[in-house]
Amino acid sequence: MDDQYVALLEGLFHKKIILSNDLLHCLKKERESLINIDLDSLWSISKEKEDICSKIESIREEIVSALDPRIDQRFFASHQILELLPEEHKATFRKLFHTLLKLKGEIEVIRKENMIFIDDSLQFLDEMMSILTGKTTSKILYNDKCHLSRSGANVLLSREA
């Protein structure tokens, strides 16, 4: 593996790190928009997230193709990238790979928090609609651990999958 090839791969890894950081920032903006119920912002953030994810996937495919064009992209896991690199270059790429893993972990945490926020908001609205329409009698109470106990109303609203 020559130096030009290593530089190409390293550049692709740096692009993926930058895009992953952009995605993390997007998810943080999404959380703020969810809290502030800013629907216009949520639509633009959704489009931005799609674009970033598409670019990340494209770079991933470029990295895999650069390493070995014969590899089936569908069955290739990220951790296999390090295995395909020559031993003398693994240390450099291991640092980049760990940076990516850290960013992916942060992205996953915020993504899950945002989904929980959406689910909780929809459950609250569903409960309110059930009460207003008379479909259930509300038994919403806080238990001894200050957690909300729900009445088990019919689900009228749900998060889009």
Side-chain angles (χ1 to χ4, degrees), residues 33-44:
S33 295
L34 286 168
I35 291 169
N36 296 326
I37 312 171
D38 184 354
L39 297 178
D40 292 331
S41 179
L42 283 170
W43 282 112
S44 66

Side-chain angles (χ1 to χ4, degrees), residues 15-65:
K15 284 181 186 177
K16 191 170 178 180
I17 289 170
I18 290 168
L19 286 169
S20 296
N21 202 25
D22 290 347
L23 182 58
L24 180 64
H25 178 70
C26 235
L27 289 169
K28 288 178 180 179
K29 285 192 315 189
E30 180 182 60
R31 182 182 346 174
E32 288 301 315
S33 295
L34 286 168
I35 291 169
N36 296 326
I37 312 171
D38 184 354
L39 297 178
D40 292 331
S41 179
L42 283 170
W43 282 112
S44 66
I45 291 170
S46 177
K47 175 69 173 131
E48 188 178 353
K49 284 189 318 185
E50 285 179 31
D51 291 343
I52 292 171
C53 288
S54 175
K55 289 175 184 175
I56 288 173
E57 181 59 26
S58 175
I59 288 177
R60 180 189 150 327
E61 290 172 3
E62 282 184 64
I63 290 170
V64 173
S65 291

Side-chain angles (χ1 to χ4, degrees), residues 68-89:
D68 189 348
R70 299 168 291 164
I71 293 175
D72 188 351
Q73 299 275 343
R74 296 171 295 166
F75 303 110
F76 191 78
S78 296
H79 69 275
Q80 292 174 305
I81 291 172
L82 286 177
E83 295 170 9
L84 294 174
L85 292 167
E87 196 60 43
E88 64 268 13
H89 299 292

Side-chain angles (χ1 to χ4, degrees), residues 6 16 33 88 93 110-111 115 122-123 129 131 133:
V6 171
K16 191 170 178 180
S33 295
E88 64 268 13
F93 287 98
I110 293 177
R111 184 191 68 79
M115 287 180 63
L122 289 173
Q123 285 177 354
M129 289 180 70
I131 292 168
T133 60

